[in-house]
Amino acid sequence: MRKVHVIGSLVLALAALLPGQATAASDALPSWNDGSAKRAIVEFVEKVTKPGSPDFVPVPERIAVFDNDGTLWCEQPVPVQLYFALDRVKALAPQHPEWKTKEPFASLLKGDLKTALTGGDHALLEILMATHAGMTTVEFEQIVKDWLATAKHPKTGRLYTEMVYKPMLELLDYLRAHGFKTYIVSGGGIEFMRPWTERVYGIPPEQVVGSSIKTKFEMRDGQPVLVRLPELNFNDDKADKPVGIHQHIGRRPIAAFGNSDGDLQMLQWTTAGPGVRFCLYVHHTDAEREWAYDRQSSIGRLDKGLDEAAAKGWTVVDMKKDWKVIYPFEKVKGE
Amino acid sequence: MRKVHVIGSLVLALAALLPGQATAASDALPSWNDGSAKRAIVEFVEKVTKPGSPDFVPVPERIAVFDNDGTLWCEQPVPVQLYFALDRVKALAPQHPEWKTKEPFASLLKGDLKTALTGGDHALLEILMATHAGMTTVEFEQIVKDWLATAKHPKTGRLYTEMVYKPMLELLDYLRAHGFKTYIVSGGGIEFMRPWTERVYGIPPEQVVGSSIKTKFEMRDGQPVLVRLPELNFNDDKADKPVGIHQHIGRRPIAAFGNSDGDLQMLQWTTAGPGVRFCLYVHHTDAEREWAYDRQSSIGRLDKGLDEAAAKGWTVVDMKKDWKVIYPFEKVKGE
């Protein structure tokens, strides 16, 4: 442990010395407008990282957890992973002639997403299992990488990995520069995220927590493989987010970032520990640059969470007011 | 990613400069006798960490996985966690008058472990669930810490956390000094290990993979808790060790360390990746200082693994010949 602390401190000392690693808040969060949200973030980080402060938190305990869909990248008009599943249904259709008449696949292949999803969770699960299982883990990783390299968002025509929130990328960097370990804790598929989170967010695969299907170890031609089975292993959403956090990380985060009621228990779990804690909700309020949705939305509903944030004094980001830019490719107004 | 690499490289450069961080093998592994095992370890580490070498592995991919029972600490005459369970049965007995006549508890309470375990896996599972479930995760962590602070090994009278292998502690340090991330991947309970692995091995909770029971998020008096349920979640052994590795780490290790057939698939999975890989079996050959057991042992059986190690050229540590000392409290011969 001693050595870990020494090295951690050295990294921080070094980070402060390096050009371009200046961590003054004004430099570290340039896409954030000055306001209460930015101020709350900076105040929290300064409090827990200042040696000798009563709120000081040692480096190994600086765990920050982030939801992904709607918190780090867009989730409208439908979550990215659903577009992936739909494209996989089309790609796999020639091997499944029965899908032409079998729901939910028949509607999907006609491009009628709405009818396909009238089957609810059962239909969704069928689509997921048909497209996410049956191959090895190595094969699936390549399928995800290949898809992300070319698939485009229907509204912007941009790669999905460009549809990430620039202010949140800065926040991830800012926290890491202050000794935080940043984790994703998402309802999305863990193996759908891992192939690209390191490149896009700087979050390595071992710091991604998500939903999963079961896998099975097998020998094929003398080589071990893990085969993805059409069986749910873990649904990392709502009350199971704290379960996933405990399972993967084994210590309670001191900061949590989400955007929907699906993140509420994660934020509650985070605040329930001793010492200073930080919780933040990204509130989608910008219909022009992104989307505006909250209490009534079927995707990323933020209703109870908004009430609890108000009651508990959590930070709520108003995307329209608090963020100078949303996407990295976007031009800053007036520049 | 760029920043991660830069910082990783700086840490390594710094580590080389610091006094006491000298990483010459002769200094880093003082409890290892010079021989083929020590040589193989050092050669592997030098190969994958030498910049410009064809076998060079970037820091983020330097993942090393270690079994715990019999690899990092002793597992005889029975695994430590079983002693914990037995002590918990005794402590909980007053609340369970029915145990006086109900197996496997009745035999346990009479001190007859052998009869208690004739019920096989079913009996073992019953003991585990009765002693490991029903409390919150925070309560369980405290129970484990309290027990480890006083419980003594029946043979040596030492704390269980002293019954760790000094050469392996040195190996963990040596690997970390060379940019490796060290993980435990054990059949033991993940929450039985996490409360002490950081202090004893320098392995933080988020780098511990193990067996688990299910937990459930609940609100109690307005505070969220995770309650441990008497239901198996994951059995991190044999063919499920690669499953656990993939689930928690999401990338394939380049080095794996075990001591039994229960680790075989983990070693196979590790070697199946591209590039240089390192696998090592700890072979218990020292009946005097520790225990001697392998092909016939019911605990920590090493049979198929020994054959595969020979066939594949994996490193096999002969504890009697290769290790100068076994436990940290032990005196070196001739000193």
Side-chain angles (χ1 to χ4, degrees), chain A residues 181 194 198 206 246-247, chain B residues 181 194 206 246-247:
Chain A
K181 214 169 191 174
R194 280 172 162 167
E198 192 160 25
E206 61 268 29
H246 188 70
Q247 180 75 21
Chain B
K181 213 168 190 175
R194 280 171 161 167
E206 61 267 31
H246 188 69
Q247 180 75 18

Side-chain angles (χ1 to χ4, degrees), chain A residues 148-160:
Chain A
L148 282 171
T150 58
K152 303 278 169 61
H153 190 279
K155 183 181 165 187
T156 62
R158 297 278 179 165
L159 293 177
Y160 287 103

